[in-house]
Amino acid sequence: MIEGLLIGLSAAFSIQNLLMVIAGCLIGTFIGMLPGLGPMSIIAIMIPVAITIGDPSAAIILLAGVYYGAIFGGSTSSILLNAPGVAGTVASSFDGYPMARKGQAGKALTIAAIASFAGGSIGALLLMIFAPMLSTVALLFHSAEYFALMVVGLSAIAAFAGTGNVAKAVLMTLVGLVMATVGEGALFNMPRFTMGLMDLQSGFSFITLAMAMFALPEALFLVLNPARSAQGASGKIENLRITREEGRKIAPVIGRQSIQGFFIGVLPGAGATIASFLGYAVERNIASKEEQEEFGKGAIKGLAAPETANNAACTGSFVPLLTLGIPGSGTTAILLGALIALNVTPGPRLMIDEPQIFWAVIISMYIGNLVLLILNLPLIPYIAKVLSIPRNYLIPFILFFTLMGSYIGQNNATELLLLVGMGICATVLKFADYPLAPLLIGFILGGMLEDNFARSMQLYDGVGFVIDRPMTLGLLVIAALLVIVPSYRARRAKARKEGVAEGD
């Protein structure tokens, strides 16, 4: 290991590879800021460029830089415009956007940058230490365990429900799961619930749904509520620095979510999206009652948790990719294709046969996170000035990126009709005080949930896999606790309040 690490250090600090890290981080950051152009799209475009480089380690370093750069930059549009174009940054908008609305856009972007850097850096350190060992742990997870992991992800609805709204959150999650069933199913390669429309054969697009749930309702709200459009809370960009007290608050969150996010990222099929949702849910559930009230309204812990977790998970996702040759997400599947195109065979022998590639990629991740922090912190005052634009001028800007992001995602005009229809429905639901985040969680996890459940049913001839596999049962118990404990705490608080009222 020490010998391989030294080889990787010499490779990572070569002039060519350092330039590749900087180029990948720059490209990824700016692409991540644009809703609709996620890391999958840009990595697919960059593969022909990477192949022409010739050196496989330099090519993979470039593509890896684009990947975590896009996740790093994806928080910007989530925080400033409430328009998450990457699934892994959806949870960042839950508290990041309210902070921006309160005139704390600069502080929100600073927290996101620091949390992203810490999560990615700690993830890279853990990857260096645990990669050989974790490759064997990842092999223990089969379809049954992935199904249970998706259920744990869905149990995060308790974190987005708010006081007394658990029933509404469950209902919205079920709507998301139903929407995920549109298109071809896991058991039969036959279209379902498409109403005869060819454009729905591949299901609803995540980008379209994310824009419809978050960005479009925000634009419509600004149109319907001129007083809100005229609010000048975000006109001045100030409070770019976090205080010592705020630093003490988010430090343990960053520490916990760096470790949790990394280990979730190690599991093939989990990735940054589940890590960010679970990170948010866990931190809300363990927070004090007063802090829980702040979640969803601009809590710094609610922003630091998903930002740390998704960057740590991005780093962790390279464990199954490099050590097992198993892609953990759509993005790492494209990276796997790039590795094969470069005549590099990922797997258990990669660390032995080509240590310069394995260790150079890992070390470049830490360098890349440092580059991203140096690039982004000085730019925060200028990026945050987007919010100094009067709200009534910002509406066309939001609508343009929303419509273009949805169209670019599928290159299909039908997506625009779906976007408008779902956006109007989302606006009505928002007026009725229904949480929209659980719907998106249900949609994102629904496809993976169904695929793994179907495979488990086939392998174990029914639902017997729940009892046959202790790890699956353990994960399902954790999922149940994630829903029951917050509900119990809410009921106990309500009973205490009524008891105090009766005593008076």
Side-chain angles (χ1 to χ4, degrees), residues 2 18 27 91 125 187 191 229 250 272 283 292 301 347 353 359 377 411 425 466 502:
I2 301 297
L18 285 173
I27 294 166
L125 186 64
L187 288 172
S229 302
I250 63 172
E283 292 303 327
Q292 283 185 7
K301 286 186 176 182
D353 296 340
W359 291 108
L377 279 179
N411 200 23
C425 292
V466 175
E502 285 175 6

Side-chain angles (χ1 to χ4, degrees), residues 20 27 43-54 59 62-63 342:
M20 290 297 111
I27 294 166
I43 287 174
I45 294 167
M46 291 293 292
I47 284 175
V49 177
I51 290 171
T52 59
I53 293 171
L62 173 66
L63 295 176
L342 290 160

Side-chain angles (χ1 to χ4, degrees), residues 314-327:
C314 282
T315 308
S317 67
F318 277 82
V319 172
L321 177 68
L322 296 176
T323 60
L324 300 175
I326 300 172

Side-chain angles (χ1 to χ4, degrees), residues 23-216:
C25 290
L26 276 171
I27 294 166
T29 301
F30 288 108
I31 292 298
M33 288 179 186
L34 300 175
L37 285 174
M40 285 179 67
S41 306
I42 189 60
I43 287 174
I45 294 167
M46 291 293 292
I47 284 175
V49 177
I51 290 171
T52 59
I53 293 171
D55 182 4
S57 59
I60 298 302
I61 285 170
L62 173 66
L63 295 176
V66 171
Y67 178 29
Y68 49 79
I71 298 293
F72 196 106
S75 59
T76 304
S77 59
S78 292
I79 291 168
L80 297 185
L81 302 175
N82 202 26
V86 182
T89 61
V90 169
S92 303
S93 65
F94 299 151
D95 281 285
Y97 185 68
M99 283 186 73
R101 289 290 305 155
K102 291 193 291 188
Q104 297 178 334
K107 182 174 287 188
L109 290 169
T110 302
I111 290 170
I114 292 169
S116 298
F117 168 73
S121 300
I122 295 171
L125 186 64
L126 292 171
L127 180 59
M128 197 180 298
I129 297 167
F130 292 113
M133 188 196 313
L134 291 172
S135 62
T136 57
V137 175
L139 287 173
L140 297 175
F141 269 67
H142 296 170
S143 298
E145 284 74 29
Y146 290 129
F147 161 72
L149 192 66
M150 301 305 130
V151 176
V152 173
L154 287 171
S155 68
I157 57 167
F160 309 106
T163 308
N165 281 340
V166 175
K168 287 183 177 180
V170 170
L171 179 62
M172 295 301 284
T173 305
L174 292 173
V175 171
L177 288 170
V178 169
M179 292 181 74
T181 63
V182 175
E184 292 185 355
L187 288 172
F188 308 103
N189 291 325
M190 294 286 290
R192 55 189 182 174
F193 312 127
T194 60
M195 296 171 287
L197 297 173
M198 286 294 292
D199 294 323
L200 288 180
Q201 193 154 344
S202 58
F204 294 110
S205 163
F206 158 74
I207 296 294
T208 301
L209 189 62
M211 297 295 179
M213 291 298 107
F214 294 97
L216 201 59

Side-chain angles (χ1 to χ4, degrees), residues 15 17 22 27 72 147 157 168-169 213 274 364 397 413 417 434 442 447 453 461 485:
I15 300 297
N17 287 346
I22 295 167
I27 294 166
F72 196 106
F147 161 72
I157 57 167
K168 287 183 177 180
M213 291 298 107
I274 294 176
S364 74
F397 180 76
L417 298 175
Y434 278 81
F453 180 72
D461 295 325
V485 171

